[in-house]
Amino acid sequence: MSDLNAVFKPDAARYGRTLTEMIRCATVSFDGFRDEQTFVDYMNYLQKRFPLIFSQCEDLRVEGCIFLKWKGNSSEDSLVLMSHSDVVPADGDWKYPPFDGVLAEGKIWGRGAVDTKSSFCAILEAVESLLAEQFVPERDVYILSSFSEEIAGDGAPNAVQWMKDNGVSVGLVVDEGGAVLESPLPMLKKDLLAIGISERSSVRFLIEAKAGKGKNALTNLSQFVTKKAPSLGKQQLTPELRELLKRVAPFLPAPADKMISNIDRFEKPLIALLSKLLPGFKAMFGPCVSFVPASSKVTADVKAGIAPAVAVVSCNQCDDLEKAVRLFKEYAEKNDIAVKELSRRVADGIEPPDGEGFQKTEKIANKVYGELIAVPYPIVGNTDARHFVGFAKNCIRLSPVRMTLAQIGTFHNKDENVNFDALVPAVLFYREMIKDL
Ligand SMILES: [Zn+2]
């Protein structure tokens, strides 16, 4: 860690308090369920907590998000700092209540701690502190936080539309996605700066099981969704993953380094090894299907005797989406499951890992955290950054918050938490990003 961290240590308590208060506003987004009052309370809290931001930045008054402009010396290649404000529901049995914002065991616990109130807290603290120093950025800085990212809502698309309508020039966008990852492997002695450079394509299906074969519809549905689905396409090391491995190789002992330098020959064993070491990331290697409960909007017209769910077939940009969809439909049909396509999202655009945006992010992160191994990777889900692809010059998916792999695993899961001392460097990252424009 750099000396800068010591200077900002006294502010750690303030940052921690801010994040716990943000978590206490249960800004849950879920189809068919939304308590608007929680968003009102959340905004009231932020306005009180960040008086300089809300009095000195221009509120662009775009529907469905917080969208503010901090005027800089130039309007060319503005910087957009993003992180959504809504969270997914908190089901299951949590160690600490998910909306109490508990500080315990050196960690801040609660829904949104990872995804993504920690990075939004850090963005706001960074900007507020610079405003207090009367700092003026070289370029315009936009702060954007959607209220409906988790349900693919309108907040971010509205903001992008506003920017297009108003002729805004956007240089770099930094949204959620990757993280500063504490070394995930015992043999790797350095931390990783995992920067998301691409997203997956996905097709959502409403699937319906009927009663039959002596079983009710619900039993048939649960049997289908818990069964191991057949392969929906080839498992492969995508170009993003190949680049990741190439960058990690020099820090790995033999024979891993040799295997990576002969990647074509060792592709299969490398996939097997990585799937074993990082079980949560299996989906990175090819097409797959996951299931989620059908929302009330989707199920509104479902008659009795039919059990619905939503299936999401997703794949990397280099995979064959059509083939994956066809194979999934055949598999569902074989199991007497009716399938109806709900929506389709075809991802495009891969942020170049040797491009300006990536390199700048790497430079700033190294300044704050010391030497990290900066690696590109394909993110498994989607982010609001995708709305900027083709419009902004560079799109980086990174929450500059230091986490373990286990903490990343609490994303959309129970016991979501971040380390209390991860907040200071995250704030510093955004400060340095703004100062470097
Ligand atoms: Zn998120």
Side-chain angles (χ1 to χ4, degrees), residues 83-88 114-117 149-150 175-177 382-384 399 411-412 416:
S83 201
H84 59 88
S85 285
D86 58 325
V87 295
V88 294
V114 175
D115 181 22
T116 57
K117 287 180 173 170
E149 191 272 349
E150 296 292 0
D175 193 9
E176 61 162 331
N382 290 115
T383 71
D384 269 341
S399 302
F411 163 103
H412 289 205
E416 194 174 341

Side-chain angles (χ1 to χ4, degrees), residues 159-161 163-164 167-171 387-394:
V160 174
Q161 194 54 50
M163 289 182 132
K164 287 179 178 169
V168 177
S169 143
V170 181
H387 303 295
F388 282 92
V389 171
F391 171 52
K393 283 189 182 154
N394 299 102

